[in-house]
Amino acid sequence: MRKFFTLSDLDVKGKRVLVRVDFNVPLDKKTNEITDDKRIRESLPTIKYLVERDAKVILCSHLGRPDGKVVDSLRMDKVAVRLGKLLNKNIKKINGCVGKDVKDEISKMNNGDVVVLENLRFHPEEEANDKNFSKQLADLAELYVNDAFGTCHRAHASTYGVTKHLKSAAGFLVEKELNVMGKAIENPKKPFIGILGGVKISDKIKIIENLLLKVDKLLLGGAMIFTFYRAQGKNVGNSKIDEEGIELAKKLLQNKKIVLPVDVIIADKFDANANSKVVDANNIPNDWMGLDIGPETIKNYKEILKNAKTVVWNGPLGVFEFDKFSNGTKEIAKFLSALKAVTIVGGGDSAAAVEKFGYAGKLTHVSTGGGASLEFFEGKKLPGIQALEESCKRFR
Ligand code: AMP
Protein backbone atom coordinates (compact mmCIF):
# COMPACT_ATOMS: atom_id res chain seq x y z
CA MET A 1 0.00 0.00 0.00
CA ARG A 2 1.19 3.52 -0.80
CA LYS A 3 2.17 5.43 2.30
CA PHE A 4 1.09 8.88 1.13
CA PHE A 5 -1.91 10.42 -0.62
CA THR A 6 -1.74 11.24 -4.31
CA LEU A 7 -3.88 13.63 -6.34
CA SER A 8 -6.61 11.06 -6.96
CA ASP A 9 -7.16 10.79 -3.17
CA LEU A 10 -8.17 14.45 -2.95
CA ASP A 11 -11.63 15.87 -3.55
CA VAL A 12 -10.51 19.20 -5.00
CA LYS A 13 -13.68 20.64 -6.60
CA GLY A 14 -14.16 24.22 -5.45
CA LYS A 15 -11.35 23.85 -2.90
CA ARG A 16 -8.35 26.10 -2.35
CA VAL A 17 -5.31 23.91 -3.01
CA LEU A 18 -1.84 25.13 -2.04
CA VAL A 19 0.68 23.54 -4.41
CA ARG A 20 4.41 23.64 -3.63
CA VAL A 21 6.06 23.61 -7.05
CA ASP A 22 9.71 23.87 -8.02
CA PHE A 23 9.82 27.03 -10.13
CA ASN A 24 13.47 27.60 -9.26
CA VAL A 25 14.37 28.13 -12.92
CA PRO A 26 17.80 29.29 -14.14
CA LEU A 27 17.95 33.02 -15.03
CA ASP A 28 20.30 34.74 -17.45
CA LYS A 29 22.91 36.65 -15.45
CA LYS A 30 22.68 39.73 -17.70
CA THR A 31 19.06 39.91 -18.87
CA ASN A 32 17.45 38.10 -15.89
CA GLU A 33 15.31 36.18 -18.41
CA ILE A 34 14.39 32.51 -17.84
CA THR A 35 16.96 30.41 -19.73
CA ASP A 36 15.27 27.03 -19.27
CA ASP A 37 11.62 26.50 -18.29
CA LYS A 38 11.82 22.70 -17.88
CA ARG A 39 10.84 22.92 -14.22
CA ILE A 40 7.73 24.95 -15.05
CA ARG A 41 6.79 22.52 -17.82
CA GLU A 42 7.27 19.55 -15.48
CA SER A 43 4.66 21.00 -13.10
CA LEU A 44 1.97 21.40 -15.79
CA PRO A 45 0.31 17.95 -15.45
CA THR A 46 -0.50 18.60 -11.78
CA ILE A 47 -1.68 22.18 -12.39
CA LYS A 48 -3.85 21.15 -15.36
CA TYR A 49 -5.37 18.26 -13.40
CA LEU A 50 -6.41 20.66 -10.61
CA VAL A 51 -7.73 23.32 -13.00
CA GLU A 52 -9.77 20.76 -14.93
CA ARG A 53 -11.33 19.60 -11.66
CA ASP A 54 -12.38 23.13 -10.67
CA ALA A 55 -9.90 23.66 -7.84
CA LYS A 56 -8.57 27.10 -6.90
CA VAL A 57 -4.87 26.60 -7.49
CA ILE A 58 -2.43 28.53 -5.31
CA LEU A 59 1.15 27.95 -6.45
CA CYS A 60 4.17 28.65 -4.27
CA SER A 61 7.89 28.21 -4.87
CA HIS A 62 11.31 29.65 -4.17
CA LEU A 63 13.50 31.19 -6.88
CA GLY A 64 17.26 31.54 -6.44
CA ARG A 65 18.86 32.39 -3.12
CA PRO A 66 17.46 35.65 -1.75
CA ASP A 67 18.49 34.56 1.79
CA GLY A 68 15.40 35.81 3.58
CA LYS A 69 15.32 39.27 1.97
CA VAL A 70 13.29 40.79 -0.85
CA VAL A 71 15.42 40.74 -4.02
CA ASP A 72 13.59 42.36 -6.92
CA SER A 73 15.35 40.33 -9.61
CA LEU A 74 14.07 37.15 -7.91
CA ARG A 75 10.38 38.07 -7.85
CA MET A 76 8.05 35.43 -9.31
CA ASP A 77 6.45 37.75 -11.90
CA LYS A 78 8.34 36.41 -14.92
CA VAL A 79 7.64 32.84 -13.83
CA ALA A 80 3.90 33.62 -13.64
CA VAL A 81 4.05 35.16 -17.13
CA ARG A 82 5.82 32.08 -18.56
CA LEU A 83 3.34 29.76 -16.84
CA GLY A 84 0.46 31.77 -18.30
CA LYS A 85 1.92 31.30 -21.80
CA LEU A 86 2.43 27.56 -21.28
CA LEU A 87 -1.11 27.10 -19.93
CA ASN A 88 -2.64 29.64 -22.29
CA LYS A 89 -4.43 31.08 -19.30
CA ASN A 90 -4.56 34.28 -17.25
CA ILE A 91 -2.43 33.78 -14.15
CA LYS A 92 -2.47 36.27 -11.32
CA LYS A 93 0.79 36.96 -9.50
CA ILE A 94 0.26 37.94 -5.85
CA ASN A 95 2.88 40.21 -4.23
CA GLY A 96 3.29 38.25 -1.04
CA CYS A 97 2.94 34.71 0.23
CA VAL A 98 1.27 35.03 3.63
CA GLY A 99 -0.94 37.54 5.44
CA LYS A 100 -4.20 39.40 5.09
CA ASP A 101 -3.64 40.96 1.63
CA VAL A 102 -2.75 37.57 0.18
CA LYS A 103 -5.83 36.01 1.77
CA ASP A 104 -8.00 38.80 0.37
CA GLU A 105 -6.67 38.16 -3.15
CA ILE A 106 -7.27 34.43 -2.77
CA SER A 107 -10.85 35.02 -1.57
CA LYS A 108 -11.57 36.59 -4.98
CA MET A 109 -10.56 33.43 -6.87
CA ASN A 110 -13.08 31.48 -8.94
CA ASN A 111 -13.00 27.72 -9.45
CA GLY A 112 -10.29 26.82 -11.98
CA ASP A 113 -8.27 29.99 -11.33
CA VAL A 114 -4.50 29.85 -10.80
CA VAL A 115 -2.40 32.29 -8.76
CA VAL A 116 1.35 32.41 -8.12
CA LEU A 117 2.55 33.62 -4.72
CA GLU A 118 5.73 35.66 -4.22
CA ASN A 119 9.12 33.96 -3.70
CA LEU A 120 8.89 31.95 -0.46
CA ARG A 121 12.53 32.55 0.39
CA PHE A 122 12.01 36.30 0.77
CA HIS A 123 11.01 35.15 4.27
CA PRO A 124 13.78 33.63 6.44
CA GLU A 125 11.01 31.62 8.15
CA GLU A 126 10.63 29.45 5.04
CA GLU A 127 14.03 27.75 5.26
CA ALA A 128 13.82 27.75 9.08
CA ASN A 129 10.64 25.63 8.84
CA ASP A 130 9.09 28.20 11.19
CA LYS A 131 5.90 26.94 12.86
CA ASN A 132 4.02 30.21 12.60
CA PHE A 133 4.95 30.75 8.94
CA SER A 134 3.93 27.15 8.13
CA LYS A 135 0.56 27.78 9.77
CA GLN A 136 0.11 31.05 7.86
CA LEU A 137 0.79 29.23 4.58
CA ALA A 138 -1.67 26.51 5.55
CA ASP A 139 -4.30 29.14 6.39
CA LEU A 140 -4.43 30.11 2.70
CA ALA A 141 -5.84 26.75 1.63
CA GLU A 142 -7.92 23.67 2.41
CA LEU A 143 -5.64 21.10 0.81
CA TYR A 144 -1.90 20.86 0.11
CA VAL A 145 0.02 19.23 -2.75
CA ASN A 146 3.80 18.84 -2.93
CA ASP A 147 5.03 18.66 -6.52
CA ALA A 148 8.50 20.11 -5.88
CA PHE A 149 10.70 17.01 -6.00
CA GLY A 150 13.83 19.18 -6.24
CA THR A 151 13.12 20.57 -2.75
CA CYS A 152 11.92 17.36 -1.07
CA HIS A 153 15.31 16.86 0.60
CA ARG A 154 14.70 20.04 2.60
CA ALA A 155 12.47 20.30 5.68
CA HIS A 156 11.19 23.81 5.00
CA ALA A 157 7.91 25.47 5.96
CA SER A 158 6.43 24.93 2.49
CA THR A 159 7.60 21.31 2.20
CA TYR A 160 7.35 20.14 5.80
CA GLY A 161 5.70 22.41 8.38
CA VAL A 162 2.64 23.11 6.26
CA THR A 163 1.72 19.41 6.07
CA LYS A 164 0.93 19.37 9.80
CA HIS A 165 -2.19 21.45 9.15
CA LEU A 166 -3.64 20.27 5.83
CA LYS A 167 -4.50 16.98 4.19
CA SER A 168 -1.45 16.62 1.93
CA ALA A 169 -0.73 14.71 -1.24
CA ALA A 170 2.10 14.17 -3.71
CA GLY A 171 1.70 15.77 -7.14
CA PHE A 172 2.29 13.86 -10.38
CA LEU A 173 5.94 14.89 -10.68
CA VAL A 174 6.86 13.77 -7.16
CA GLU A 175 4.92 10.55 -7.72
CA LYS A 176 6.72 9.91 -11.02
CA GLU A 177 10.19 10.61 -9.59
CA LEU A 178 9.60 8.26 -6.65
CA ASN A 179 8.04 5.51 -8.76
CA VAL A 180 10.74 5.39 -11.42
CA MET A 181 13.76 5.87 -9.18
CA GLY A 182 12.30 3.75 -6.37
CA LYS A 183 11.68 0.80 -8.68
CA ALA A 184 15.15 1.09 -10.18
CA ILE A 185 16.90 1.06 -6.85
CA GLU A 186 14.69 -1.38 -4.93
CA ASN A 187 13.76 -3.86 -7.59
CA PRO A 188 16.15 -3.36 -10.52
CA LYS A 189 16.19 -5.54 -13.60
CA LYS A 190 19.68 -7.02 -13.75
CA PRO A 191 22.40 -6.43 -14.79
CA PHE A 192 22.21 -3.18 -12.85
CA ILE A 193 25.07 -0.77 -13.58
CA GLY A 194 25.83 2.44 -11.70
CA ILE A 195 27.81 5.31 -13.21
CA LEU A 196 29.26 7.92 -10.91
CA GLY A 197 31.19 11.07 -11.67
CA GLY A 198 31.74 14.39 -9.99
CA VAL A 199 34.46 15.79 -7.82
CA LYS A 200 34.69 14.70 -4.20
CA ILE A 201 34.52 11.16 -2.89
CA SER A 202 33.69 12.50 0.57
CA ASP A 203 30.58 14.21 -0.89
CA LYS A 204 29.51 11.02 -2.63
CA ILE A 205 30.59 8.37 -0.15
CA LYS A 206 27.04 7.52 0.95
CA ILE A 207 25.79 7.10 -2.61
CA ILE A 208 28.86 4.99 -3.48
CA GLU A 209 28.27 2.73 -0.48
CA ASN A 210 24.53 2.43 -1.12
CA LEU A 211 24.95 1.75 -4.84
CA LEU A 212 27.63 -0.86 -4.19
CA LEU A 213 25.04 -2.86 -2.23
CA LYS A 214 22.73 -2.95 -5.22
CA VAL A 215 24.64 -2.71 -8.52
CA ASP A 216 26.59 -5.36 -10.40
CA LYS A 217 29.24 -2.85 -11.43
CA LEU A 218 29.98 0.78 -10.57
CA LEU A 219 31.74 2.71 -13.36
CA LEU A 220 33.63 5.79 -12.20
CA GLY A 221 34.55 9.03 -13.94
CA GLY A 222 34.91 12.74 -13.13
CA ALA A 223 37.57 14.21 -10.90
CA MET A 224 37.00 11.59 -8.19
CA ILE A 225 38.96 8.98 -10.20
CA PHE A 226 42.22 10.80 -9.40
CA THR A 227 41.68 10.28 -5.70
CA PHE A 228 41.30 6.56 -6.44
CA TYR A 229 44.48 6.62 -8.57
CA ARG A 230 46.34 8.28 -5.69
CA ALA A 231 45.02 5.57 -3.39
CA GLN A 232 46.58 3.06 -5.82
CA GLY A 233 49.89 4.95 -5.67
CA LYS A 234 49.64 6.39 -9.20
CA ASN A 235 51.00 9.79 -10.18
CA VAL A 236 48.11 12.18 -10.96
CA GLY A 237 50.04 15.37 -11.85
CA ASN A 238 47.94 18.48 -11.20
CA SER A 239 44.59 16.66 -11.33
CA LYS A 240 41.98 17.62 -8.77
CA ILE A 241 42.37 15.56 -5.62
CA ASP A 242 40.15 15.08 -2.60
CA GLU A 243 42.86 14.59 0.05
CA GLU A 244 40.33 13.57 2.69
CA GLY A 245 38.96 10.91 0.36
CA ILE A 246 42.22 8.98 -0.20
CA GLU A 247 41.81 6.62 2.77
CA LEU A 248 38.16 6.07 1.85
CA ALA A 249 39.19 5.29 -1.72
CA LYS A 250 41.65 2.66 -0.47
CA LYS A 251 38.86 0.92 1.39
CA LEU A 252 36.40 1.16 -1.49
CA LEU A 253 38.90 -0.30 -3.95
CA GLN A 254 38.66 -3.64 -2.13
CA ASN A 255 35.20 -3.93 -3.67
CA LYS A 256 35.65 -5.53 -7.07
CA LYS A 257 32.43 -4.00 -8.43
CA ILE A 258 34.28 -0.69 -8.84
CA VAL A 259 35.61 -0.04 -12.35
CA LEU A 260 38.13 2.76 -12.99
CA PRO A 261 39.11 4.37 -16.32
CA VAL A 262 42.18 2.88 -17.97
CA ASP A 263 43.02 6.08 -19.85
CA VAL A 264 42.33 9.79 -19.44
CA ILE A 265 42.43 13.01 -21.42
CA ILE A 266 44.88 15.37 -19.81
CA ALA A 267 45.29 19.14 -20.20
CA ASP A 268 48.17 21.53 -19.51
CA LYS A 269 45.80 23.90 -17.70
CA PHE A 270 42.17 24.14 -16.55
CA ASP A 271 40.91 25.95 -19.62
CA ALA A 272 38.47 25.34 -22.47
CA ASN A 273 41.34 25.81 -24.97
CA ALA A 274 44.07 23.99 -23.06
CA ASN A 275 46.46 21.70 -24.95
CA SER A 276 45.33 18.13 -24.47
CA LYS A 277 46.36 14.52 -25.09
CA VAL A 278 45.29 10.99 -24.24
CA VAL A 279 47.42 9.01 -21.79
CA ASP A 280 47.29 5.70 -20.03
CA ALA A 281 46.10 6.10 -16.43
CA ASN A 282 49.55 4.98 -15.27
CA ASN A 283 51.32 7.72 -17.22
CA ILE A 284 49.92 11.08 -16.13
CA PRO A 285 52.89 13.47 -16.30
CA ASN A 286 53.66 16.12 -13.69
CA ASP A 287 52.21 19.56 -14.57
CA TRP A 288 49.24 18.04 -16.47
CA MET A 289 45.74 17.40 -15.17
CA GLY A 290 43.08 14.85 -16.12
CA LEU A 291 39.85 16.44 -17.33
CA ASP A 292 37.99 13.59 -19.06
CA ILE A 293 37.92 9.81 -19.46
CA GLY A 294 39.81 8.46 -22.48
CA PRO A 295 38.66 6.55 -25.62
CA GLU A 296 39.73 3.11 -24.38
CA THR A 297 37.70 3.67 -21.20
CA ILE A 298 34.65 4.74 -23.22
CA LYS A 299 34.98 1.49 -25.18
CA ASN A 300 35.25 -0.55 -21.94
CA TYR A 301 32.29 1.20 -20.36
CA LYS A 302 30.11 0.67 -23.44
CA GLU A 303 31.05 -3.02 -23.41
CA ILE A 304 29.86 -3.31 -19.79
CA LEU A 305 26.75 -1.19 -20.39
CA LYS A 306 25.57 -2.99 -23.52
CA ASN A 307 23.95 -5.84 -21.54
CA ALA A 308 22.60 -3.67 -18.73
CA LYS A 309 18.89 -3.70 -17.96
CA THR A 310 19.02 -0.86 -15.42
CA VAL A 311 21.46 2.06 -15.35
CA VAL A 312 21.62 4.82 -12.76
CA TRP A 313 23.98 7.75 -13.44
CA ASN A 314 24.99 10.64 -11.23
CA GLY A 315 27.73 13.18 -11.95
CA PRO A 316 29.46 14.11 -15.23
CA LEU A 317 32.44 12.00 -16.31
CA GLY A 318 34.61 14.97 -17.26
CA VAL A 319 34.56 18.75 -17.45
CA PHE A 320 31.56 18.67 -19.80
CA GLU A 321 31.25 22.47 -19.68
CA PHE A 322 34.38 22.61 -21.93
CA ASP A 323 33.73 21.08 -25.40
CA LYS A 324 37.20 19.61 -25.54
CA PHE A 325 36.62 17.61 -22.35
CA SER A 326 32.95 16.72 -22.81
CA ASN A 327 33.46 13.64 -24.98
CA GLY A 328 33.24 10.98 -22.23
CA THR A 329 30.00 12.37 -20.82
CA LYS A 330 28.57 12.88 -24.33
CA GLU A 331 29.50 9.41 -25.63
CA ILE A 332 28.07 7.61 -22.60
CA ALA A 333 24.88 9.72 -22.75
CA LYS A 334 24.52 8.86 -26.45
CA PHE A 335 25.08 5.17 -25.79
CA LEU A 336 22.50 5.11 -22.98
CA SER A 337 19.97 6.91 -25.16
CA ALA A 338 19.97 3.95 -27.57
CA LEU A 339 20.07 1.23 -24.91
CA LYS A 340 17.09 -1.06 -24.31
CA ALA A 341 17.18 -0.61 -20.53
CA VAL A 342 15.80 1.54 -17.76
CA THR A 343 18.15 4.53 -17.86
CA ILE A 344 18.01 7.07 -15.07
CA VAL A 345 20.06 10.23 -14.67
CA GLY A 346 20.15 11.97 -11.30
CA GLY A 347 19.59 15.72 -11.41
CA GLY A 348 22.09 18.55 -11.10
CA ASP A 349 25.13 18.62 -13.37
CA SER A 350 24.51 15.24 -14.99
CA ALA A 351 20.95 16.27 -15.89
CA ALA A 352 22.30 19.55 -17.31
CA ALA A 353 24.84 17.56 -19.33
CA VAL A 354 22.38 15.12 -20.96
CA GLU A 355 20.06 18.05 -21.61
CA LYS A 356 22.87 20.07 -23.23
CA PHE A 357 23.83 17.18 -25.53
CA GLY A 358 20.21 16.54 -26.53
CA TYR A 359 19.79 13.02 -25.11
CA ALA A 360 17.52 13.78 -22.14
CA GLY A 361 14.32 12.90 -24.03
CA LYS A 362 15.67 9.48 -25.04
CA LEU A 363 16.41 8.31 -21.50
CA THR A 364 13.82 6.67 -19.23
CA HIS A 365 14.04 9.40 -16.62
CA VAL A 366 16.07 12.53 -15.94
CA SER A 367 15.39 13.67 -12.41
CA THR A 368 14.43 17.29 -11.74
CA GLY A 369 16.13 17.12 -8.34
CA GLY A 370 19.90 17.48 -7.93
CA GLY A 371 20.37 17.17 -4.17
CA ALA A 372 17.07 15.33 -3.82
CA SER A 373 17.96 12.55 -6.28
CA LEU A 374 21.42 12.25 -4.72
CA GLU A 375 19.92 11.77 -1.26
CA PHE A 376 17.36 9.37 -2.70
CA PHE A 377 20.14 7.20 -4.18
CA GLU A 378 21.98 7.41 -0.86
CA GLY A 379 18.99 5.54 0.55
CA LYS A 380 17.83 8.44 2.73
CA LYS A 381 14.21 9.20 3.40
CA LEU A 382 13.51 12.68 1.99
CA PRO A 383 11.94 15.02 4.61
CA GLY A 384 9.31 16.26 2.13
CA ILE A 385 8.18 12.68 1.50
CA GLN A 386 8.29 11.80 5.18
CA ALA A 387 6.02 14.80 5.82
CA LEU A 388 3.52 13.48 3.24
CA GLU A 389 3.56 10.07 4.93
CA GLU A 390 2.94 11.59 8.36
CA SER A 391 0.10 13.70 6.95
CA CYS A 392 -1.41 10.57 5.42
CA LYS A 393 -1.54 8.91 8.85
CA ARG A 394 -3.04 12.04 10.40
CA PHE A 395 -5.75 12.67 7.77
CA ARG A 396 -6.60 9.10 6.70
P1 AMP B 1 29.61 17.17 -8.81
O1 AMP B 1 28.86 18.42 -8.45
O2 AMP B 1 30.44 16.62 -7.68
O3 AMP B 1 28.74 16.13 -9.47
O4 AMP B 1 30.71 17.64 -9.88
C1 AMP B 1 30.35 18.16 -11.13
C2 AMP B 1 31.50 18.96 -11.67
O5 AMP B 1 32.64 18.13 -11.77
C3 AMP B 1 31.27 19.54 -13.05
O6 AMP B 1 31.27 20.93 -12.98
C4 AMP B 1 32.46 19.03 -13.85
O7 AMP B 1 33.03 20.02 -14.67
C5 AMP B 1 33.45 18.67 -12.78
N1 AMP B 1 34.45 17.69 -13.22
C6 AMP B 1 34.25 16.52 -13.83
N2 AMP B 1 35.42 15.91 -14.13
C7 AMP B 1 36.39 16.72 -13.68
C8 AMP B 1 37.82 16.66 -13.71
N3 AMP B 1 38.46 15.61 -14.25
N4 AMP B 1 38.53 17.68 -13.15
C9 AMP B 1 37.88 18.73 -12.60
N5 AMP B 1 36.53 18.85 -12.56
C10 AMP B 1 35.79 17.87 -13.09
Side-chain angles (χ1 to χ4, degrees):
M1 196 182 70
R2 229 188 336 239
K3 293 188 191 144
F4 51 79
F5 294 123
T6 56
L7 285 172
S8 58
D9 296 312
L10 302 183
D11 178 12
V12 299
K13 191 175 169 68
K15 299 265 175 59
R16 286 170 281 125
V17 185
L18 180 69
V19 187
R20 179 39 159 120
V21 281
D22 182 5
F23 283 169
N24 183 29
V25 287
L27 302 172
D28 187 278
K29 283 197 184 76
K30 280 194 197 125
T31 63
N32 204 33
E33 289 303 313
I34 297 170
T35 54
D36 180 359
D37 62 7
K38 177 177 159 65
R39 286 181 166 164
I40 305 178
R41 284 184 278 111
E42 293 275 3
S43 72
L44 294 179
T46 291
I47 299 172
K48 282 184 184 160
Y49 175 94
L50 292 170
V51 168
E52 282 161 13
R53 279 155 190 79
D54 279 337
K56 295 167 183 160
V57 186
I58 306 159
L59 303 174
C60 62
S61 175
H62 73 286
L63 175 60
R65 295 202 171 128
D67 288 333
K69 290 188 283 295
V70 174
V71 176
D72 280 331
S73 59
L74 296 176
R75 286 192 181 276
M76 299 302 287
D77 298 67
K78 52 188 159 290
V79 172
V81 169
R82 180 66 62 94
L83 177 67
K85 281 194 186 131
L86 291 168
L87 281 175
N88 196 19
K89 189 174 169 62
N90 243 339
I91 307 286
K92 188 164 177 65
K93 152 77 193 336
I94 298 182
N95 288 326
C97 47
V98 290
K100 182 172 177 311
D101 291 352
V102 176
K103 274 182 153 180
D104 286 349
E105 287 290 344
I106 289 174
S107 69
K108 294 180 206 152
M109 288 175 77
N110 294 314
N111 291 357
D113 279 355
V114 178
V115 297
V116 176
L117 303 183
E118 188 53 280
N119 193 335
L120 290 162
R121 291 197 188 164
F122 286 179
H123 298 260
E125 296 91 343
E126 159 64 359
E127 288 181 85
N129 191 25
D130 178 83
K131 274 193 188 145
N132 187 35
F133 186 72
S134 304
K135 176 75 172 69
Q136 283 183 292
L137 280 174
D139 282 347
L140 304 177
E142 294 151 285
L143 294 166
Y144 167 81
V145 171
N146 186 347
D147 212 21
F149 182 74
T151 325
C152 278
H153 61 313
R154 305 281 181 226
H156 291 170
S158 69
T159 58
Y160 200 94
V162 67
T163 63
K164 303 247 184 279
H165 308 284
L166 296 173
K167 182 171 180 179
S168 305
F172 289 131
L173 176 60
V174 164
E175 205 187 346
K176 182 174 88 175
E177 294 264 11
L178 294 177
N179 276 347
V180 182
M181 296 201 292
K183 208 163 140 198
I185 203 93
E186 275 150 31
N187 198 9
K189 277 199 183 146
K190 298 261 188 170
F192 177 17
I193 309 295
I195 311 174
L196 216 51
V199 179
K200 284 192 172 183
I201 298 185
S202 19
D203 280 354
K204 301 232 167 149
I205 180 66
K206 293 214 183 70
I207 185 171
I208 298 176
E209 285 175 345
N210 198 39
L211 282 180
L212 281 173
L213 296 174
K214 325 240 173 191
V215 296
D216 296 293
K217 290 239 178 290
L218 186 60
L219 316 181
L220 299 185
M224 69 160 78
I225 58 173
F226 303 102
T227 307
F228 282 95
Y229 290 159
R230 269 285 281 280
Q232 290 174 322
K234 290 188 171 83
N235 187 23
V236 297
N238 285 338
S239 305
K240 210 172 208 158
I241 283 285
D242 173 15
E243 292 286 348
E244 286 166 37
I246 295 175
E247 283 309 308
L248 272 176
K250 277 188 192 157
K251 245 195 259 159
L252 289 168
L253 280 169
Q254 289 166 13
N255 191 318
K256 296 301 160 218
K257 289 178 178 177
I258 288 186
V259 186
L260 281 169
V262 292
D263 58 348
V264 288
I265 300 187
I266 54 171
D268 57 355
K269 55 181 179 227
F270 191 83
D271 189 280
N273 301 312
N275 292 310
S276 66
K277 54 186 174 186
V278 180
V279 293
D280 184 283
N282 291 308
N283 295 326
I284 302 173
N286 293 334
D287 301 330
W288 288 70
M289 62 181 76
L291 295 186
D292 196 9
I293 58 173
E296 202 52 37
T297 303
I298 295 174
K299 224 161 71 191
N300 289 351
Y301 283 8
K302 285 182 182 172
E303 196 54 36
I304 296 170
L305 287 165
K306 77 174 188 208
N307 297 317
K309 286 284 165 274
T310 307
V311 182
V312 164
W313 179 7
N314 182 288
L317 302 179
V319 183
F320 76 98
E321 297 92 335
F322 298 161
D323 276 354
K324 224 172 172 172
F325 306 103
S326 64
N327 193 49
T329 306
K330 203 188 287 175
E331 278 294 313
I332 296 301
K334 184 174 168 196
F335 191 77
L336 292 185
S337 73
L339 203 64
K340 283 199 174 53
V342 175
T343 49
I344 295 176
V345 173
D349 276 324
S350 22
V354 295
E355 201 79 55
K356 176 177 169 183
F357 302 135
Y359 297 114
K362 298 193 186 106
L363 302 165
T364 309
H365 184 68
V366 179
S367 178
T368 53
S373 66
L374 196 63
E375 291 194 17
F376 186 84
F377 288 129
E378 286 174 357
K380 280 193 197 149
K381 178 138 266 174
L382 305 177
I385 305 305
Q386 196 176 337
L388 292 180
E389 291 181 3
E390 284 164 13
S391 172
C392 183
K393 282 187 207 143
R394 217 173 289 128
F395 291 90
R396 196 184 284 283

